[in-house]
Amino acid sequence: MKRRIFITGATGLIGGHLTAALIDDPEMDLHILVRAASDAAAAERIRRVLAFVGREDGLGRLTIHRGDLTQPDLGLGRDAAARLGAAVTDIVHAAADIAFDDRRQSGRSALTNVTGTRRVLQLCSPATRFFHLSTAYVAGLHPHLFAEADLDVGQVFRNDYERSKFEAEQLIRAAFADRPKQLTVLRPSIVLGSSDTARTFQYSSLYAMLGLLRHTAQDAPGARLAFDYDPDATQNYVPVDWLVRWLAHIVRNPDCLGRTYHLVSERPITNREMGRLLGELLGVSFEPRPVPPARLDPVSRRFVRQAAPYLPYLASHPRFDCAARRRLPAGDVDFRPDARFLNAMLVHCLKTNWGRNLDLAR
Ligand SMILES: NC(=O)c1ccc[n+]([C@@H]2O[C@H](COP(=O)([O-])OP(=O)(O)OC[C@H]3O[C@@H](n4cnc5c(N)ncnc54)[C@H](OP(=O)(O)O)[C@@H]3O)[C@@H](O)[C@H]2O)c1
């Protein structure tokens, strides 16, 4: 029997690439959830995502359900939600609000990521297989190796986003406690565009940082940014094409079910190295200096204010155990942004004006 897979977040970076990767699979019927004001607008939104990844031709293979995680019954209507739940064999839950600027979020992380996840869980029958896109950063600021089996280790979180993803995982694990083989948890680190061209339509994390630094370099050429960060701390990135190869393999292979996977780089980059590369690329430099924000020079102070949501990620040495992932067929595991990749990122960001020239940028 064909698998009927319901994918949330298919208009997002990861869900979009994953949908495209599975779209030709003859063993699968794909159903996707799309937020939009009309059916035509929903179809147009996913068409643009597929066009971005070069798979517009697959549009006709998708069944689109117009809905919203923040609405009861996902905004589908009670009967339609019940029919969908009874029909699907698998759910890939990739939708989330991934913004982590707590100053602007005002509860959206909890509403979308926790309440929304509860609503997706309501679709499940006792036989449904569930694939949950979590994040390796549910580890929060845990100072030791975080195992795939770990979840609540008493960690402190950097922001509401991390907390909401942690709470969502707790909900899901509780829901599948009596049938753990049907739950697969996927925990990527920070996801970038494709490994060759850095192409993306999501301009958060390192893309946003690159934009801030580029502005700084334009306003204050040769600026020396001195602020409090740990040069030996690491940032863990994985390109979307690598991630989706792993995800598609896991979704396809019954042997992979029932586990948790840290889908991360095993060779994360240090702040020192990232600072050197970004400095060479943009003509700025960095100095780790523990000074209170009020005593920073004006250029550094403005950068620190604008980059505030990202700075907690420059202060930790997260370590993720990858035992389950290592059992997957070979695939690169040691991505780290280098000069070539950062240059490609800059070229892509300039060409798209950090997404402003793209009709699907997020
Ligand atoms: N990006 C990363 O670095 C990263 C790292 C680790 C884990 N993850 C996890 O991976 C998953 C996918 O992330 P992503 O990077 O692909 O994020 P993304 O590009 O921002 O996509 C998020 C997706 O969720 C959908 N969504 C958000 N709110 C919704 C709502 N209320 N109702 C229905 N759909 C909604 C979005 O729909 P719209 O298009 O309508 O906004 C979009 O399709 C998330 O669970 C995230 O937590 C991401």
Side-chain angles (χ1 to χ4, degrees):
M1 189 186 94
K2 263 193 179 186
R3 291 166 73 186
R4 271 189 297 275
I5 306 191
F6 179 54
I7 303 177
T8 70
T11 50
L13 182 70
I14 298 172
H17 281 78
L18 180 61
T19 300
L22 300 177
I23 211 161
D24 285 334
D25 195 314
E27 304 299 316
M28 297 178 183
D29 273 338
L30 302 186
H31 292 245
I32 60 169
L33 184 75
V34 179
R35 276 199 289 194
S38 68
D39 290 348
E44 177 58 12
R45 291 202 61 213
I46 189 67
R47 186 196 66 74
R48 288 180 185 180
V49 172
L50 292 176
F52 184 89
V53 293
R55 287 312 318 265
E56 196 178 348
D57 58 315
L59 182 63
R61 294 211 58 232
L62 299 176
T63 305
I64 301 170
H65 301 262
R66 190 156 59 85
D68 188 325
L69 294 183
T70 65
Q71 304 297 316
D73 299 311
L74 304 177
L76 301 170
R78 181 165 295 179
D79 292 348
R83 278 197 303 276
L84 180 65
V88 299
T89 55
D90 302 75
I91 294 177
V92 177
H93 181 33
D97 190 319
I98 67 162
F100 47 69
D101 185 348
D102 289 353
R103 299 170 298 190
R104 297 197 182 149
Q105 275 297 86
S106 61
R108 282 216 319 270
S109 314
L111 177 61
T112 309
N113 304 348
V114 185
T115 309
T117 294
R118 189 177 289 118
R119 289 181 172 138
V120 176
L121 282 171
Q122 284 165 356
L123 291 184
C124 292
S125 72
T128 312
R129 288 176 291 255
F130 201 95
F131 298 85
H132 176 60
L133 257 297
S134 183
T135 166
Y137 289 86
V138 291
L141 288 162
H142 184 55
H144 308 296
L145 186 70
F146 193 67
E148 289 140 327
D150 285 339
L151 183 56
D152 188 350
V153 290
Q155 64 270 57
V156 170
F157 298 103
R158 294 173 185 81
N159 48 47
D160 291 348
Y161 166 72
E162 287 186 356
R163 178 183 302 283
S164 71
K165 296 296 289 184
F166 167 84
E167 289 176 6
E169 237 199 88
Q170 282 187 315
L171 272 183
I172 292 169
R173 287 183 186 282
F176 281 86
D178 60 346
R179 46 195 202 288
K181 282 273 171 218
Q182 288 166 231
L183 172 63
T184 306
V185 177
L186 309 151
R187 292 181 180 159
S189 56
I190 303 168
V191 182
L192 302 176
S194 65
S195 54
D196 52 353
T197 60
R199 241 175 121 246
T200 186
F201 54 89
Q202 184 197 89
Y203 292 82
S204 57
S205 68
L206 192 53
Y207 291 82
M209 194 67 115
L210 191 67
L212 287 178
L213 289 170
R214 162 103 177 151
H215 275 125
T216 304
Q218 281 179 320
D219 290 353
R224 184 162 183 76
L225 295 165
F227 59 98
D228 192 6
Y229 68 92
D230 175 354
D232 295 314
T234 52
Q235 306 170 35
N236 198 309
Y237 296 103
V238 62
V240 69
D241 48 331
W242 291 25
L243 173 64
V244 165
R245 267 205 308 274
W246 288 323
L247 295 179
H249 178 85
I250 292 167
V251 170
R252 281 197 174 107
N253 284 282
D255 292 353
C256 298
L257 301 184
R259 298 203 176 90
T260 297
Y261 295 90
H262 282 155
L263 303 170
V264 304
S265 170
E266 295 196 61
R267 211 167 60 97
I269 189 166
T270 61
N271 289 336
R272 178 182 288 104
E273 176 68 355
M274 182 64 95
R276 188 183 67 75
L277 292 171
L278 287 171
E280 283 173 10
L281 183 67
L282 299 168
V284 292
S285 60
F286 301 88
E287 182 189 338
R289 196 195 295 159
V291 266
R295 291 186 41 212
L296 292 172
D297 65 274
V299 176
S300 300
R301 190 181 319 138
R302 191 182 61 175
F303 171 73
V304 163
R305 196 180 60 243
Q306 292 174 332
Y310 301 106
L311 296 184
Y313 290 89
L314 306 188
S316 54
H317 302 248
R319 287 187 302 129
F320 309 109
D321 187 29
C322 296
R325 212 279 318 285
R326 286 195 200 107
R327 288 196 289 269
L328 298 178
D332 308 285
V333 288
D334 60 353
F335 175 84
R336 92 167 47 165
D338 56 12
R340 184 206 62 78
F341 184 83
L342 291 175
N343 189 56
M345 265 183 94
L346 184 60
V347 168
H348 173 71
C349 288
L350 289 171
K351 190 167 150 200
T352 59
N353 192 13
W354 271 266
R356 290 178 198 92
N357 302 342
L358 278 182
D359 51 12
L360 74 172
R362 341 186 30 85

